[in-house]
Amino acid sequence: MESLASGFLLSISLIMAIGAQNAFVLKQGIKKHHVFWVSLVCAVSDALLIAAGIAGFGAAVEAFPTLETVARYGGAAFLIIYGIKSLMSAFGPDHSLEPEGEEPDSLVKIIAMTLAFTWLNPHVYLDTVVLLGAVATQYEGTARTLFGIGAMSASGVFFFSLGYGARFLAPLFHKPVAWKILDALVAMIMFTIAASLLLG
């Protein structure tokens, strides 16, 4: 059980940092648009990456640095584009979360964007694949499996809590100025992470 708790605590400490993926989940949660699917895609993606890390894929990523380079520049380009979109929204016409307000994007588009935020983010490979994979090597057999289960559970708990917990902020975002501030903050997060990828 110690390995289960260790996997859970390490995983959730890595996920909790505010990043592009978390900002996107938060925004969809506030808007109440496809929250279940966004949370599920994030959790399942993390579970697959954690499983790959524990299975030893972290060593493969380190052996082929080209994979990291492709993810770095592809992720930076995606974040810049999304950041520009958020910035335009922040300085565009007023909008709020009233029932007659913004129409939700299609489920297919939202899932595609969620996958992009997850799989085009090089940091996710460092955290879930390389780091968790490296820590998992200190466990053997059943203990390693429990470590992986704990790490995957943390991801599921976090993303569903973030997605559905965000709706408690919805009343605040009936005010157009609050929505503009959020869009501006999201844009800043996207640009900052993109810069760290390009300059790192």
Side-chain angles (χ1 to χ4, degrees), residues 182-196:
L182 177 64
D183 277 328
L185 289 174
V186 168
M188 288 175 60
I189 291 171
M190 302 305 167
F191 291 145
T192 300
I193 297 174
S196 72

Side-chain angles (χ1 to χ4, degrees), residues 26 29 35 159-170:
L26 178 65
V35 179
F159 284 117
F160 277 95
S161 297
L162 179 63
Y164 284 99
R167 64 184 54 202
F168 294 108
L169 297 174

Side-chain angles (χ1 to χ4, degrees), residues 1-84:
M1 294 304 291
E2 177 187 348
S3 58
L4 182 73
S6 177
F8 185 94
L9 293 174
L10 178 58
S11 179
I12 205 162
S13 67
L14 293 171
I15 300 170
M16 284 180 67
I18 294 298
Q21 185 187 45
N22 292 351
F24 180 72
V25 174
L26 178 65
K27 189 172 181 179
Q28 294 305 121
I30 292 172
K31 289 160 57 172
K32 301 179 184 178
H33 291 173
H34 307 301
V35 179
F36 173 80
W37 291 105
V38 169
S39 303
L40 181 65
V41 169
C42 288
V44 170
S45 294
D46 263 21
L48 292 173
L49 289 163
I50 291 167
I54 292 174
F57 186 68
V61 173
E62 292 181 332
F64 299 98
T66 302
L67 295 175
E68 190 273 339
T69 301
V70 172
R72 176 186 296 270
Y73 289 105
F78 176 78
L79 292 172
I80 290 170
I81 291 171
Y82 191 85
I84 291 172

Side-chain angles (χ1 to χ4, degrees), residues 3-4 6-7 10 54 132 135-136 139 143-151:
S3 58
L4 182 73
S6 177
L10 178 58
I54 292 174
L132 284 172
V135 174
Y139 299 102
R144 182 180 294 186
T145 301
L146 288 173
F147 177 86
I149 291 172

